[in-house]
Amino acid sequence: MKKEASFKQGLNSQATGLSPLLLMMVLSVLYPSRISFVFTLVICTGCLVLFRYLSGKNVFLFMLLPVAITLILYSVFFYSALEPVLYMYTPLITEWLLVMVLSLLSTFRRSILRRIRPSGHPVKKQAQFRTALTEYFHVAQTVQNLYTLHFFALLFYIIFFEFNRIAGIDRFLYHQAPLLIGLMIISYEQVRLYMVKKRLEQEKWLPVLNSEGRVIGRIAYSVSLGSNAKHCHPVVRVAVVWRGMIYLTRRAADSPVSPGALDYPFRNYILFRRTPEQTIKELVERIMPWNQLNLHFLIRYPFQGGKVCSMVSLYAATMKSEDEFVKYIGKMNGKLWTRKQIEENLGKGVFSAYFEQEYPYLQNTVLLAEEYTGRQSVGAQYPHGILKQGSFGGELRHTGKAPNASETGKSLPIS
């Protein structure tokens, strides 16, 4: 499966944009203030030009903008009364100016993010741009908070140790602390982004469907779990039929739909850019060889209940021989249910909500074919192929009309 590339590409380390300021803090100790400032300004300008070029390749470093503004404001001090002592307070002054600039820019956060969607850029570029911008505001808040905390620590030291200054502490608070805080932020962000990207590589992505079953987007599986049926996802389900009976197993106790109820053994979400057949193959091959199963597509229908909204692709499967059934399916801690047993327990909470909706269709197709033919293979005995199968990363196309009551019996209720 293709990874969520557009989101990952937007995850650039915005904290590295602090590098020019940290460089000036170091140079201010070694060289005169004007020399360190000019050198830093040249480096910052070069970085701005470079990342302006890289923005065409969806690489953004927004932190360079407040850093550049900070350097421009710092240049004003060369024409003030503080110019003779700039070499002593350069780290502190740049830190204070940066906090002031970041605080000002953060007040426009909502209006900036609101302008992205109607910008006219392609959706993929908008997603990457928004991801990078959101990451910038996160880092900016971290920088602002830590440097503000440093100011309070310095103020506390000045007030309570006014007559007992220690040279080593003075040097640390005025010169070394701003640099160490900046380096700590860069290191922390690198580690955090590495962990985020590793988690994204392991994340499962679900297609988001509209009411017609067309794919209109995608969402992380972990995010969708807590959305309470906000998004509709494709689900594949396979009814295992044997001699007119249906094999059922118990659903997990933490299932969002009918926990602990009886249902088919093979069922799962269809991941983004996967087909129903690919999903079924992965499910089946955990238990048995793929070629041991006779698989037939039945119908696709919408389902909504509890915390989920699904577009269900229903299949029927039969085994080639009794030995194979006992060898593979019989080990799944389930049970074969006859039509009579099922009908006696419908509506009593024994079966899942999915199964309750699907049974009328199964009753008038698969089970009816089994009853009249006495054969295990039912592929030619009931309507199938209602929809052409396709990947759930593109569009699903109708190839025929949906079955009517005369063809299938009672239609499925749509909730």
Side-chain angles (χ1 to χ4, degrees):
M1 185 186 67
K2 201 171 182 178
K3 302 295 186 294
E4 183 62 23
S6 61
F7 183 76
K8 288 177 64 179
Q9 287 176 6
L11 285 176
N12 304 312
S13 180
Q14 297 295 319
T16 55
L18 295 172
S19 300
L21 276 188
L22 301 184
L23 177 63
M24 190 169 76
M25 292 179 187
V26 174
L27 293 177
S28 65
V29 179
L30 305 175
Y31 302 99
S33 300
R34 289 182 182 271
I35 295 177
S36 61
F37 169 76
V38 170
F39 186 79
T40 303
L41 186 62
V42 171
I43 295 295
C44 186
T45 303
C47 291
L48 285 171
V49 172
L50 174 63
F51 279 95
R52 179 66 182 88
Y53 167 75
L54 292 177
S55 64
K57 300 182 179 181
N58 301 322
V59 179
F60 308 99
L61 195 60
F62 295 112
M63 186 59 72
L64 285 173
L65 179 60
V67 167
I69 296 174
T70 300
L71 289 175
I72 294 173
L73 294 176
Y74 178 84
S75 65
V76 176
F77 286 92
F78 288 120
Y79 305 96
S80 68
L82 290 176
E83 199 274 338
V85 293
L86 276 181
Y87 73 96
M88 292 178 55
Y89 300 106
T90 288
L92 205 59
I93 292 173
T94 53
E95 181 185 46
W96 171 69
L97 289 174
L98 180 62
V99 170
M100 184 177 65
V101 172
L102 292 177
S103 300
L104 183 63
L105 291 177
S106 65
T107 60
F108 299 100
R109 174 175 180 170
R110 290 187 178 179
S111 60
I112 292 173
L113 292 175
R114 208 164 31 235
R115 290 176 180 269
I116 296 176
R117 184 165 295 178
S119 63
H121 293 294
V123 175
K124 182 178 179 180
K125 187 176 182 67
Q126 287 185 32
Q128 294 168 347
F129 189 85
R130 187 182 184 89
T131 300
L133 199 57
T134 303
E135 181 65 20
Y136 156 74
F137 281 117
H138 169 78
V139 174
Q141 188 65 51
T142 303
V143 173
Q144 186 179 334
N145 291 342
L146 289 179
Y147 277 143
T148 301
L149 187 63
H150 171 242
F151 280 129
F152 278 111
L154 181 61
L155 184 63
F156 178 86
Y157 174 75
I158 292 174
I159 292 175
F160 290 95
F161 295 91
E162 181 178 3
F163 303 106
N164 298 305
R165 297 288 186 85
I166 302 174
I169 297 180
D170 279 2
R171 185 168 55 254
F172 174 79
L173 289 176
Y174 282 94
H175 296 280
Q176 298 172 358
L179 177 62
L180 290 176
I181 291 173
L183 293 175
M184 181 179 67
I185 292 172
I186 292 176
S187 301
Y188 167 75
E189 285 301 312
Q190 291 288 357
V191 173
R192 185 181 70 85
L193 288 180
Y194 172 79
M195 294 176 66
V196 168
K197 290 182 178 181
K198 291 294 289 185
R199 190 164 63 247
L200 283 175
E201 291 176 358
Q202 299 171 359
E203 183 63 86
K204 296 178 180 178
W205 297 90
L206 296 175
V208 178
L209 309 180
N210 62 12
S211 58
E212 299 176 353
R214 299 177 186 274
V215 177
I216 58 174
R218 51 186 162 179
I219 188 173
Y221 179 79
S222 58
V223 175
S224 181
L225 284 178
S227 62
N228 292 328
K230 182 179 179 181
H231 305 288
C232 185
H233 305 301
V235 170
V236 67
R237 294 169 50 77
V238 181
V240 179
V241 181
W242 175 257
R243 293 182 179 177
M245 296 179 286
I246 302 176
Y247 189 81
L248 301 175
T249 59
R250 197 165 296 280
R251 295 175 67 89
D254 58 351
S255 175
V257 177
S258 306
L262 295 174
D263 206 347
Y264 310 135
F266 302 120
R267 59 190 186 274
N268 207 350
Y269 283 104
I270 303 173
L271 300 181
F272 186 73
R273 288 189 176 142
R274 293 291 182 90
T275 64
E277 288 81 4
Q278 288 173 329
T279 304
I280 296 172
K281 185 176 180 181
E282 291 176 357
L283 290 172
V284 170
E285 287 185 339
R286 299 174 187 173
I287 307 297
M288 57 187 289
W290 168 247
N291 58 5
Q292 299 297 320
L293 209 61
N294 293 320
L295 188 68
H296 312 282
F297 174 63
L298 297 179
I299 192 173
R300 178 171 292 123
Y301 72 95
F303 173 88
Q304 186 161 1
K307 299 180 179 180
V308 302
C309 175
S310 308
M311 184 65 71
V312 181
S313 296
L314 178 62
Y315 287 74
T318 58
M319 302 294 294
K320 293 182 178 180
S321 70
E322 183 175 357
D323 292 339
E324 292 170 352
F325 180 86
V326 174
K327 180 180 179 180
Y328 299 115
I329 303 297
K331 297 180 179 180
M332 296 179 65
N333 297 321
K335 174 186 173 183
L336 284 168
W337 287 70
T338 65
R339 292 179 61 175
K340 182 179 179 181
Q341 289 174 323
I342 292 173
E343 290 165 7
E344 289 176 350
N345 289 279
L346 286 174
K348 297 181 180 179
V350 176
F351 307 110
S352 72
Y354 286 108
F355 181 82
E356 295 265 354
Q357 290 198 28
E358 294 162 356
Y359 182 72
Y361 184 79
L362 295 174
Q363 187 180 25
N364 289 279
T365 53
V366 184
L367 299 181
L368 186 62
E370 287 279 301
E371 178 182 343
Y372 279 101
T373 64
R375 296 162 54 188
Q376 297 177 18
S377 176
V378 295
Q381 307 301 324
Y382 54 88
H384 62 88
I386 303 303
L387 296 178
K388 183 177 180 180
Q389 298 307 292
S391 158
F392 277 93
E395 182 177 310
L396 294 170
R397 296 162 290 177
H398 289 268
T399 60
K401 62 180 181 179
N404 56 40
S406 64
E407 294 171 326
T408 65
K410 185 177 178 182
S411 61
L412 287 172
I414 298 175
S415 58

